[in-house]
Amino acid sequence: MAPSIRLSPAARSLFDEPLAIAVRGLGPRQRVTLRTSLRDETGELFQASARYQAGEDGQLDLARCPALPGGSFSGLEPMGPLWALQPQRPFWRLVKRDVQSPFLLQLEVLEGHGERPGRLLAQAQHERAFLRDGVRRVPVREGRIRATLFLPPGEDTFPGIIDIQGLGGGLSEPRASLLANHGFATLALAYYQFEDLPQKPKELHLEYFEEAVNYMLQHPQVKGPGVGLLGFSKGGEVCLAMAAFLKNITAVASLNGPVAATFVPFSYKDKFIPIVTLHEYKAKAIDSKVLDYSDVMDDPFQAPGNQSRIPLEKAEAQLLFVVGQDDHVVKSELVTKLCKLLQAQGKENFQILSYPGTGHCIDPPFFPLYPIGSHPIFHKRAILGGEPRAYSKAQVNAWSQVQAFFKKYL
């Protein structure tokens, strides 16, 4: 019997779903290398490889068989071949731009464990998709709003979430599309550098985001009376500012979002929140090419930085703070300080999920770690933080906790 790769689901799975991988038809205790690869939409290659030994029966099941030292990961890691994918081009991030097409995952089983693995024994392909059958993708151009709405299958009403990305501009759809697969009507909202939105906004007017809230609440398939907000980095900060000033916001999940205005100030009616000062000279060089910016921000709890702190004591929404303890862009202890302040004012509408070994980027499950990249404000190569194995566990846990939080409060 020739070796073969068995996958479950067989041909296609959602990107945030586990994939069961097994190999049949090997020799007893045969040593093999499992190599996975995928290309992003620009053609850049991501690869991982792991060393295994088949059982006495010639079978290899990643759910029961630990990877041996010497590959991209070791130990019992059934999803290691996905979360350990690394770009062949240094400092490149895996990004999905067109959620209507899947990523194509290639799997190969190669003989032996050498630096140059031996002959090819088996291969398979598998699609990692972003949209479940029946999920609808609706471009939204209503008033000033530039967005994409993802609706779960069916004619029911669904809890509504507005998903807001960090700095970088444009319209990012992967997280919103994946959330819709789980039963949420999710609006991926652009706020600059997209179509006719400002290229370089001087300030962010919360009235624009209020329009998006009203759009969601008037939609016949969005279950009121309020909406949820999910934001990463600057997007998390936007969500927190919305919770402090706008009505009809029930639950907010912030993924490593700053608790003060950064980079672009906020305005709402006659109120203005200036940006906190960042001192670039305080960046530390890790080596000749990489900087650590973790200590450049003024303290938003002391003057003069406290002018920039978002007044979250005014927020009536439930707040979920998802923080990476190894975040080198936004200090995780600022969220702890904020929650102590809220507690001192008798508030109980917050919870913190804090993950060791997790850096600034918190993506849905099985996106590879992006530990060193371009700093969102200074645009120089910076340490973002994180360690692959710990991060892969944090992704899975945070993703299920965020969904449970929205199910509870929406």
Side-chain angles (χ1 to χ4, degrees):
M1 179 169 124
S4 63
I5 300 171
R6 301 288 174 88
L7 304 172
S8 178
R12 186 184 178 98
S13 56
L14 292 171
F15 195 91
D16 61 342
E17 279 183 339
L19 175 65
I21 303 171
V23 185
R24 307 276 163 82
L26 297 169
R29 304 187 66 73
Q30 184 173 357
R31 289 171 167 251
V32 293
T33 298
L34 174 67
R35 185 163 66 197
T36 42
S37 48
L38 68 75
R39 287 189 186 275
D40 71 8
E41 289 147 319
T42 67
E44 292 295 338
L45 180 66
F46 288 74
Q47 273 194 332
S49 68
R51 298 174 172 189
Y52 286 99
Q53 185 167 22
E56 292 292 356
D57 56 0
Q59 302 215 19
L60 170 59
D61 182 346
L62 270 59
R64 293 200 296 270
C65 189
L68 304 171
S72 305
F73 61 92
S74 60
L76 192 64
E77 294 289 347
M79 288 298 286
L82 281 94
W83 62 250
L85 287 166
Q86 284 297 301
Q88 301 306 290
R89 177 178 174 176
F91 314 117
W92 194 254
R93 187 177 188 184
L94 183 63
V95 173
K96 190 76 180 96
R97 302 205 189 282
D98 176 12
V99 298
Q100 296 174 95
S101 67
F103 276 132
L104 190 61
L105 183 70
Q106 307 274 2
L107 301 97
E108 298 169 304
V109 179
L110 303 147
E111 207 169 40
H113 285 174
E115 280 305 304
R116 305 175 75 133
R119 70 191 170 95
L120 183 68
L121 301 174
Q123 59 184 336
Q125 283 191 346
H126 185 84
E127 291 184 348
R128 295 288 280 172
F130 286 78
L131 293 176
R132 190 186 292 287
D133 287 348
V135 170
R136 283 157 294 158
R137 178 185 175 277
V138 184
V140 177
R141 305 289 182 272
E142 296 265 338
R144 289 179 298 173
I145 305 167
R146 302 293 174 261
T148 304
L149 178 63
F150 292 92
L151 290 167
E155 299 305 314
D156 295 346
T157 58
F158 305 101
I161 295 172
I162 299 173
D163 177 50
I164 304 179
Q165 262 307 329
L167 291 177
L171 179 59
S172 173
E173 299 182 357
R175 196 170 49 219
S177 66
L178 290 171
L179 269 178
N181 299 325
H182 295 280
F184 299 97
T186 314
L187 187 77
L189 182 66
Y191 56 104
Y192 77 109
Q193 264 178 34
F194 182 71
E195 295 184 357
D196 56 353
L197 293 174
Q199 283 299 302
K200 288 186 174 173
K202 298 273 188 289
E203 56 191 67
L204 291 179
H205 302 282
L206 290 178
E207 287 86 349
Y208 172 75
F209 299 94
E210 189 170 41
E211 213 175 302
V213 173
N214 294 337
Y215 167 80
M216 287 295 275
L217 289 175
Q218 286 158 14
H219 195 284
Q221 283 196 263
V222 173
K223 186 158 108 187
V227 297
L229 306 176
L230 173 62
F232 159 66
S233 193
K234 177 72 180 181
E237 176 197 311
V238 171
C239 292
L240 296 174
M242 290 168 73
F245 291 102
L246 307 182
K247 293 185 178 66
N248 300 318
I249 289 159
T250 308
V252 176
S254 165
L255 310 171
N256 281 331
V259 299
T262 61
F263 188 57
V264 189
F266 292 107
S267 68
Y268 182 63
K269 296 180 178 168
D270 56 349
K271 299 181 181 71
F272 183 78
I273 305 182
I275 57 171
V276 69
T277 306
L278 303 177
H279 304 278
E280 194 173 0
Y281 72 89
K282 291 186 177 177
K284 296 189 283 282
I286 300 296
D287 58 33
S288 61
K289 291 198 178 93
V290 181
L291 292 156
D292 184 348
Y293 286 98
S294 46
D295 291 319
V296 301
M297 186 194 284
D298 271 348
D299 184 347
F301 295 92
Q302 313 253 319
N306 57 1
Q307 300 298 309
S308 306
R309 187 178 70 76
I310 297 163
L312 277 160
E313 54 277 14
K314 294 181 179 173
E316 289 174 8
Q318 291 293 324
L319 306 172
L320 175 67
F321 297 97
V322 181
V323 297
Q325 290 175 21
D326 192 37
D327 185 349
H328 287 252
V329 177
V330 180
K331 280 192 148 171
S332 58
E333 53 261 38
L334 294 177
V335 167
T336 314
K337 268 190 178 180
L338 172 72
C339 291
K340 281 187 177 149
L341 188 106
L342 294 176
Q343 209 165 13
Q345 299 194 11
K347 293 278 201 172
E348 293 177 344
N349 60 330
F350 59 86
Q351 50 185 304
I352 304 177
L353 291 174
S354 184
Y355 294 100
T358 299
H360 186 61
C361 297
I362 299 182
D363 285 315
F366 315 125
F367 271 94
L369 174 67
Y370 180 59
I372 294 172
S374 178
H375 189 278
I377 291 173
F378 297 112
H379 305 298
K380 292 181 181 164
R381 190 159 291 152
I383 184 162
L384 307 177
E387 179 278 309
R389 186 187 306 250
Y391 171 60
S392 72
K393 306 271 184 286
Q395 278 175 309
V396 172
N397 185 268
W399 189 236
S400 68
Q401 295 273 7
V402 163
Q403 289 171 52
F405 168 75
F406 284 130
K407 282 186 177 134
K408 180 174 178 182
Y409 292 110
L410 298 179

